[in-house]
Amino acid sequence: MYELASLVEVRLWELDKNLELTTEDIFDILCQEYQLNADSLEKELSCKCPFALTGFLRELERTEVDYYSAIE
């Protein structure tokens, strides 16, 4: 879903400016802020990389994004 990926990417760059945050911290923050299921995404990506997350979200269809939503 390109729109969500763009929003996440903008926030990623904002968070990345904070030198005290690790990439794993940023991944968790992004998932929490955008109500994404961090565990499912970590398993799918095999990592907690926020840069991989944005690329992955860009490739998803709208119905696929719902699968990774933390809202049930």
Side-chain angles (χ1 to χ4, degrees):
M1 176 89 204
Y2 192 80
E3 183 179 316
L4 175 61
S6 294
L7 292 171
V8 170
E9 186 173 27
V10 168
R11 184 67 175 131
L12 163 60
W13 292 114
E14 292 171 356
L15 292 170
D16 195 44
K17 291 177 185 176
N18 184 338
L19 299 177
E20 294 180 15
L21 293 175
T22 66
T23 55
E24 289 183 355
D25 293 335
I26 294 171
F27 179 91
D28 290 334
I29 291 167
L30 291 172
C31 288
Q32 182 179 12
E33 288 183 0
Y34 290 94
Q35 300 173 336
L36 299 169
N37 186 317
D39 293 335
S40 294
L41 286 163
E42 180 184 3
K43 184 176 181 180
E44 185 69 34
L45 298 170
S46 301
C47 64
K48 290 179 91 172
C49 176
F51 301 98
L53 174 63
T54 59
F56 180 73
L57 291 174
R58 286 190 191 285
E59 300 298 319
L60 293 179
E61 298 293 327
R62 178 67 186 145
T63 55
E64 294 173 312
V65 171
D66 293 340
Y67 177 76
Y68 297 101
S69 174
I71 301 173
E72 296 190 24

